[in-house]
Amino acid sequence: MAAASEGEELLGVLKGDVDRLGLIFSFGLEDKASLSRIATLSRELDLFFSGWINYTLETKFQTCYTVYSGGDDFLFVGPWDRVIDLAHHINNNFNRFVANNRNITLSAGIAVTKPTFPIAKSSQQANQYLEEAKNHGRNRLHLFSTTIPWTKEDSKDNEPD
């Protein structure tokens, strides 16, 4: 897998999830919350994370491998450069999926490692990097010891908690 990278042959491990999902379920539906609306929201998120993402990997990111994807989170392994592209592709399409609602965002972390480094440890690093992204205000990506907003607009709208 690392041999498919451009430049250095390294693996990327991408972990991400929806920010503040509990608040979205608790307050996002406001006084219109019902069992059927909560189930629909849950089902739609799962459709994106298990359906659309799997389709995307099969058609556009064949060199990336799904460890898991569903509910509201994901973990992928692939060539480091393709994993970075995948992270941006997922975020851009997730924003379209939620109709650019600035209250429903993703955070992600990417660990870049040598192909001989254990995947279990790489996924732990990616999880730490995901937490770094969330600690810097959410709606961000942590990569190469740096946390950045997904876009320039995100840096203006989303100050750290």
Side-chain angles (χ1 to χ4, degrees):
M1 211 181 292
S5 300
E6 291 287 326
E8 189 77 22
E9 292 183 2
L10 299 170
L11 286 178
V13 178
L14 167 63
K15 180 161 173 53
D17 68 17
V18 176
D19 296 321
R20 298 182 178 100
L21 187 59
L23 287 175
I24 293 168
F25 276 106
S26 297
F27 300 107
L29 298 173
E30 297 176 337
D31 59 345
K32 295 181 176 137
S34 67
L35 186 57
S36 65
R37 287 176 192 231
I38 291 170
T40 299
L41 178 57
S42 180
R43 203 171 27 253
E44 291 297 315
L45 285 171
D46 189 60
L47 178 63
F48 180 85
F49 287 104
S50 61
W52 179 86
I53 285 181
N54 288 331
Y55 173 78
T56 296
L57 264 64
E58 290 173 8
T59 58
K60 295 184 179 181
F61 293 90
Q62 296 94 347
T63 57
C64 295
Y65 171 78
T66 304
V67 177
Y68 64 83
S69 181
D72 76 320
D73 59 352
F74 51 85
L75 180 67
F76 303 110
V77 178
W80 71 274
D81 55 327
R82 293 300 290 155
V83 165
I84 294 170
D85 294 340
L86 175 60
H88 283 284
H89 186 74
I90 290 170
N91 186 64
N92 290 341
N93 282 277
F94 184 74
N95 284 328
R96 287 181 44 220
F97 179 74
V98 298
N100 295 307
N101 184 330
R102 308 292 295 155
N103 297 308
I104 308 174
T105 59
L106 291 177
S107 291
I110 299 175
V112 177
T113 65
K114 293 187 180 210
T116 55
F117 194 73
I119 293 296
K121 290 189 184 248
S122 299
S123 66
Q124 288 173 346
Q125 280 185 344
N127 189 59
Q128 290 172 346
Y129 298 158
L130 168 61
E131 292 307 314
E132 282 292 318
K134 289 180 176 290
N135 291 339
H136 283 87
R138 293 179 170 78
N139 197 22
R140 286 168 164 53
L141 171 67
H142 185 89
L143 170 68
F144 301 132
S145 301
T146 305
T147 301
I148 57 171
W150 291 107
T151 66
K152 288 181 183 179
E153 294 82 32
D154 293 337
S155 65
K156 296 173 197 165
D157 294 345
N158 204 348
E159 293 301 315
D161 291 342

